[in-house]
Amino acid sequence: MYQPHLSPIAGSLALSALVAALPLLTLFVLLGGVRLRAHWAGLASVAVAVVVAIAGYHMPARLALLSAGEGAGFGLFPIVWILVTAVWLYQLTVVTGRFEDLRQAFHLISDDPRVQAVIIAFCFGGLLEALAGFGAPVAITGVMLMALGFSPFRAALTVLVANTAPVAFGAIGIPIITAGGLTKIPYTEIGAYVGRQTPLLALFVPLLLVALVDGRRGVRQTWPVALVCGAVFALAQFTSSNFLSVELTDIIASLAALAAVVVFLRLWQPRGGEQARTELSAAPDQQAPGGPAGSAPAPGPAAAVGTRIRPAASGATQAPREVIAGPRLFMAFLPYLVVIAVFSVANLVKPVQRALAATTADIPWPGLDGQVLTVAGKVSATTVYHLPWLSSPGTLLLLSGLLVTAAYRIPPAAAAREFGATLVKLRWAVLTIAAVLALAYVMNLSGQTITIGSWIAGTGTAFAFLSPVLGWLGTAVTGSDTSANALFATLQQTAAAKAGLSPTLLVAANTSGGVLGKMISPQNLTIAATAVGLAGRESDLLRGAIRWSLGLLLVLCALVYLQSGVLAGMLP
């Protein structure tokens, strides 16, 4: 049996951590520096991780390759499955013309594209994150913004930045529940701490979104509605996580923020919406304000997802708008109402939730299960592949799509053709996601990830400042805040006890830090790029998003450090 060691390189934890970081450095340099296509960067990083595992950590080559295989399998299901079904559901609305009605319907709330970005990317995206997670919000809201006239790059970057504050409580609070199960700290307690960290991020995210859409002018002209949205979301997230329900936090916060925006717009309207809309239409392939300077302009849409909605997007400000109401308005929103209904029943109705959970198949990975120990000497549970074939968000999205197919009276053959075409369009995204998850599994099972985490945790009381970095790193690697907690929650708890800090605070900080790693996760970058027809442009998205990720991470690190001392009164 293989048991990883924390310091396999010359007995030095620091040197071992440096070597263990090589696969991640390879990935981000190839993506952000060399601008290699994401699938090639991912495959190269997997190769580096396997070499480090074998040569540096003395992991048997067979086990290293099997680890990569299990990771790739997890990438295909459920991650790729979610992406495919989310894009397919969207395509059904395109072929029937209902998405054009939905685009017109959003103008009933506001004609201002900056406000629409807040409503769709932040409020609606937060609701989808609460119910589904795992990339579905990015895929769905990205194409919605593009159909409203946003350029592919601007749409993708906007939804990536928006998909932050809700992530900690995503998928009915699964990241926090996972952390509680591992550390034996009541998850309601962890949720209460997180609810006093992420609301500060939520307060400013809508302001960042209007800045991405329209620069400083956008902030100057729309800051009241952006601030109302962020403030109500933050207040609702704090209130629900501390006093109502950790599981329902994002649902309550998203709906409250959406209602606040709608009411506020009846009392106040921003200036400059027409000008912003005209500029969005005039330069559909330009990058968003604040994007990487000197980057090449976006090519024409490479995937059919982009070409399908391009006519609606480029003509969004020129075609005469018709007023739609009644049944037609209801049918425009039907797919998303169906998604909300299906996920609500699956996650909130306890008998259904238990029945779905019982269908998960636990499959010991052949040749790997029982052959790998953790650093603590326990048999690793990661080598058992969990197959949630019925409860997966992808399967629930498939069910939603079938219901929409029936409601829209789409011929089954046409719906099947769209599904097949979606698979073809996403082929490179499939390879990328499989490679990224293979990388994560090799690093985790060989001990590379825990080495990096242990080195960071050895900083003593300063660890309170660095604690969110572990969550950020874990989510950046795996694409999941839940996985980041699975990796580092126990480590955070142990390090806190050694440093005389609050274990609950640092476990919560791991969760909160993870939300900021989501926007630069290669998995999420690929989902966003593919959904809007920019497959191969993940490196540009990384360069555009990383400044926001690191900037917000610095703010969060400072907050957690202060909460460990002078601002301890903020905590429960």
Side-chain angles (χ1 to χ4, degrees), residues 427-526:
R427 60 189 180 279
W428 295 118
V430 170
L431 180 57
T432 300
I433 293 171
V436 169
L437 269 297
L439 166 67
Y441 269 65
V442 172
M443 291 188 64
N444 295 345
L445 289 172
S446 66
Q448 297 172 55
T449 303
I450 198 69
T451 293
I452 298 172
S454 298
W455 177 68
I456 296 175
T459 54
T461 55
F463 183 54
F465 182 83
L466 297 175
S467 178
V469 176
L470 283 183
W472 177 86
L473 176 67
T475 304
V477 172
T478 65
S480 165
D481 201 12
T482 302
S483 298
N485 277 345
L487 286 174
F488 294 131
T490 305
L491 176 65
Q492 296 270 14
Q493 183 183 35
T494 304
K498 290 181 179 178
L501 300 168
S502 165
T504 306
L505 173 63
L506 297 198
V507 172
N510 194 83
T511 307
S512 300
V515 310
L516 301 175
K518 187 86 168 180
M519 72 174 82
I520 63 163
S521 162
Q523 171 190 309
N524 234 31
L525 292 171
T526 301

Side-chain angles (χ1 to χ4, degrees), residues 24 27-28 31-32 38-39 41-42 45 74-75 79 83 129 133-136 138-139 156-157 159-161 163-164 167 429 432-440 470-484 487 513-530 537-550 553:
L24 297 179
L27 179 64
F28 288 117
L31 270 180
H39 54 277
S45 302
F74 181 78
I79 305 301
L83 175 61
E129 181 67 35
F134 294 98
V138 168
L157 185 58
V159 298
L160 284 170
V161 174
N163 191 222
T164 49
V167 168
T432 300
I433 293 171
V436 169
L437 269 297
L439 166 67
L470 283 183
W472 177 86
L473 176 67
T475 304
V477 172
T478 65
S480 165
D481 201 12
T482 302
S483 298
L487 286 174
V515 310
L516 301 175
K518 187 86 168 180
M519 72 174 82
I520 63 163
S521 162
Q523 171 190 309
N524 234 31
L525 292 171
T526 301
I527 290 173
T530 306
R537 291 286 306 280
E538 292 87 354
S539 59
D540 288 336
L541 287 176
L542 173 63
R543 291 161 65 91
I546 195 167
R547 67 189 66 190
W548 305 107
S549 179
L550 292 175
L553 178 63

Side-chain angles (χ1 to χ4, degrees), residues 8-264:
I9 310 298
S12 169
L13 183 61
L15 185 59
S16 298
L18 180 62
V19 172
L22 288 177
L24 297 179
L25 293 174
T26 300
L27 179 64
F28 288 117
V29 167
L30 291 180
L31 270 180
V34 182
R35 297 192 185 184
L36 199 64
R37 290 177 68 92
H39 54 277
W40 295 122
L43 290 172
S45 302
V46 173
V48 173
V50 169
V51 170
V52 170
I54 296 171
Y57 281 75
H58 312 295
M59 188 181 201
R62 177 179 62 87
L63 296 183
L65 294 175
L66 286 171
S67 299
E70 185 187 3
F74 181 78
L76 295 176
F77 195 100
I79 305 301
V80 167
W81 180 231
I82 295 168
L83 175 61
V84 169
T85 51
V87 174
W88 173 66
L89 177 64
Y90 159 75
Q91 285 296 105
L92 294 178
T93 68
V94 174
V95 297
T96 58
R98 298 291 183 179
F99 202 93
E100 178 63 20
D101 287 349
L102 181 65
R103 185 177 67 81
Q104 298 286 5
F106 274 110
H107 290 293
L108 298 176
I109 301 176
S110 175
D111 277 346
D112 194 314
R114 300 162 299 184
V115 177
Q116 291 171 340
V118 172
I119 293 171
I120 295 172
F122 188 71
C123 298
F124 186 62
L127 186 61
L128 290 175
E129 181 67 35
L131 296 170
F134 294 98
V138 168
I140 292 174
T141 58
V143 292
M144 289 176 74
L145 286 184
M146 191 173 167
L148 287 169
F150 285 67
S151 71
F153 184 92
R154 194 185 308 260
L157 185 58
T158 299
V159 298
L160 284 170
V161 174
N163 191 222
T164 49
V167 168
F169 298 93
I172 316 298
I174 287 299
I176 292 171
I177 293 172
T178 299
L182 291 169
T183 62
K184 307 308 177 186
I185 299 172
Y187 76 88
T188 52
E189 183 180 326
I190 299 172
Y193 275 66
V194 174
R196 299 175 189 231
Q197 295 169 350
T198 57
L200 182 66
L201 304 177
L203 182 63
F204 295 103
V205 168
L207 291 169
L208 294 181
L209 299 185
V210 297
L212 286 171
V213 175
D214 198 28
R216 293 181 180 177
R217 181 185 63 191
V219 176
R220 187 171 60 251
Q221 294 177 342
T222 64
W223 69 265
V225 67
L227 193 58
V228 165
C229 180
V232 171
F233 188 98
L235 179 61
Q237 196 177 57
F238 162 75
T239 302
S240 180
S241 61
N242 278 265
F243 307 111
L244 299 177
S245 167
V246 170
E247 293 90 339
L248 299 181
T249 292
D250 275 349
I251 295 177
I252 294 171
S254 299
L255 293 176
L258 178 59
V261 169
V262 172
V263 171
F264 187 75

Side-chain angles (χ1 to χ4, degrees), residues 93 98 101-102 105 108 324-338 341 403-404 407-408:
T93 68
R98 298 291 183 179
D101 287 349
L102 181 65
L108 298 176
I324 61 173
R328 192 170 162 192
L329 182 62
F330 173 77
M331 293 299 284
F333 281 97
L334 179 66
Y336 307 101
L337 296 175
V338 168
L403 294 174
V404 170
Y408 282 173

